[in-house]
Amino acid sequence: WPEGFTESDTKDYYQTKYTTAEASTYYDPDYKLQISNIELDFVESAVKKRGSLLDVGAGAGHFVDLARSRGWNARGVDLSFASEFVDQGTIDDVSGKFDAITMWDVIEHVEDPESTILEASEKLTKTGVLVIETGNYISTDRILNESTWWAFHPDHRWFHSPTVIENLLRKSGFNSIEFAKHNLRPNAETPTDYIGPSLFEFFIKALKRPHRIADYVRQFADLKILVQRHSNLLNIGIFAITARK
């Protein structure tokens, strides 16, 4: 848990990010639409009938707008934004039941992930599906990039592994749990299983940058431990999961 923003800081940060977004960045409307299409395809692979949908942390509402255009009765809630179909607030402020609840890159921001998942569970219909996406703390991407890993920034209060999220979901009453097989991002390929670090590659790295030998030894050891404890998802930097009660 790094030193996080205050609630006011969070609102200001994301309002600025969305209103000043550069092309092809995460907040760019065109790029958000590309991501939203992939995300909605993932939702619709788990929910065959298009019913009611709540997008938690909806941002400027790109995913909500797309879902409505595809026939969903969709609405959103976000701490920083309000629009025709997005209410300003948190999931605690929402009433009603939903066939699908989505949390795209949200669970790392909330103060209490477990209570947020429990709240979502209470707002799902009996056959409803919860979808969560977040950065993968046990990914090779995180270990190799160290302090420059993309997910390290002030408003991320937690860093999750797939196992942690799965355990939280099961603790909250969810049983049928499935992971996406790739990052839900444009041009993402289905990754191959990670079999472990290459001693030869790390040796070459050390020859080129001898001043970083200690860093490379630590990375190699961390990767060896990960591959022993976790057999899959290590090559997926952003993981998505569906869960049913």
Side-chain angles (χ1 to χ4, degrees):
W1 180 307
E3 183 178 353
F5 285 7
T6 65
E7 185 172 305
S8 177
D9 290 335
T10 296
K11 291 179 181 178
D12 293 342
Y13 179 85
Y14 286 101
Q15 286 171 352
T16 301
K17 282 291 185 182
Y18 273 103
T19 55
T20 62
E22 298 177 4
S24 300
T25 65
Y26 180 76
Y27 305 96
D28 172 46
D30 292 335
Y31 188 56
K32 285 293 288 185
L33 181 58
Q34 293 179 51
I35 295 174
S36 295
N37 268 292
I38 298 168
E39 292 171 337
L40 191 53
D41 286 343
F42 180 62
V43 174
E44 292 178 345
S45 71
V47 185
K48 304 304 180 185
K49 184 179 179 180
R50 295 171 180 173
S52 56
L53 183 150
L54 174 66
D55 187 29
V56 180
H62 302 98
F63 180 80
V64 174
D65 290 344
L66 177 66
R68 293 182 70 85
S69 74
R70 286 207 204 172
W72 288 85
N73 178 19
R75 60 184 291 200
V77 62
D78 191 272
L79 195 62
S80 301
F81 290 91
S83 62
E84 184 178 1
F85 300 113
V86 178
D87 299 319
Q88 190 163 6
T90 69
I91 190 171
D92 295 326
D93 302 313
V94 178
S95 59
K97 296 279 188 177
F98 300 88
D99 298 306
I101 295 177
T102 55
M103 298 182 187
W104 306 113
D105 309 310
V106 168
I107 202 69
E108 64 270 25
H109 294 270
V110 302
E111 291 194 11
D112 188 342
E114 184 175 354
S115 68
T116 300
I117 289 173
L118 281 169
E119 188 69 25
S121 176
E122 293 176 2
K123 288 179 167 62
L124 282 171
T125 60
K126 289 183 179 181
T127 58
V129 174
L130 174 63
V131 183
I132 294 175
E133 177 188 76
T134 189
N136 185 2
Y137 188 74
I138 63 165
S139 65
T140 57
D141 181 47
R142 195 272 301 173
I143 290 176
L144 293 175
N145 284 285
E146 297 185 322
S147 62
T148 63
W149 186 43
W150 64 269
F152 289 139
H153 80 72
D155 199 52
H156 286 183
R157 291 159 170 81
W158 303 93
F159 304 104
H160 300 286
S161 72
T163 302
V164 165
I165 294 297
E166 182 174 358
N167 289 342
L168 284 175
L169 287 166
R170 294 193 184 281
K171 187 176 179 181
S172 303
F174 292 91
N175 294 304
S176 180
I177 296 170
E178 294 186 18
F179 289 93
K181 292 180 171 53
H182 55 81
N183 295 330
L184 302 184
R185 293 293 185 271
N187 304 316
E189 298 180 357
T190 301
T192 57
D193 289 338
Y194 183 67
I195 61 174
S198 165
L199 184 59
F200 177 75
E201 288 181 4
F202 273 86
F203 179 72
I204 296 300
K205 283 184 178 182
L207 285 179
K208 291 181 177 179
R209 297 182 178 180
H211 63 285
R212 294 203 60 196
I213 287 178
D215 295 330
Y216 295 142
V217 169
R218 183 178 62 254
Q219 288 178 3
F220 186 86
D222 287 347
L223 290 170
K224 289 287 285 186
I225 291 171
L226 277 183
V227 80
Q228 291 168 3
R229 296 180 180 176
H230 307 277
S231 59
N232 56 10
L233 299 177
L234 300 184
N235 270 342
I236 296 181
I238 305 170
F239 68 93
I241 186 170
T242 62
R244 301 176 187 272
K245 292 187 287 185

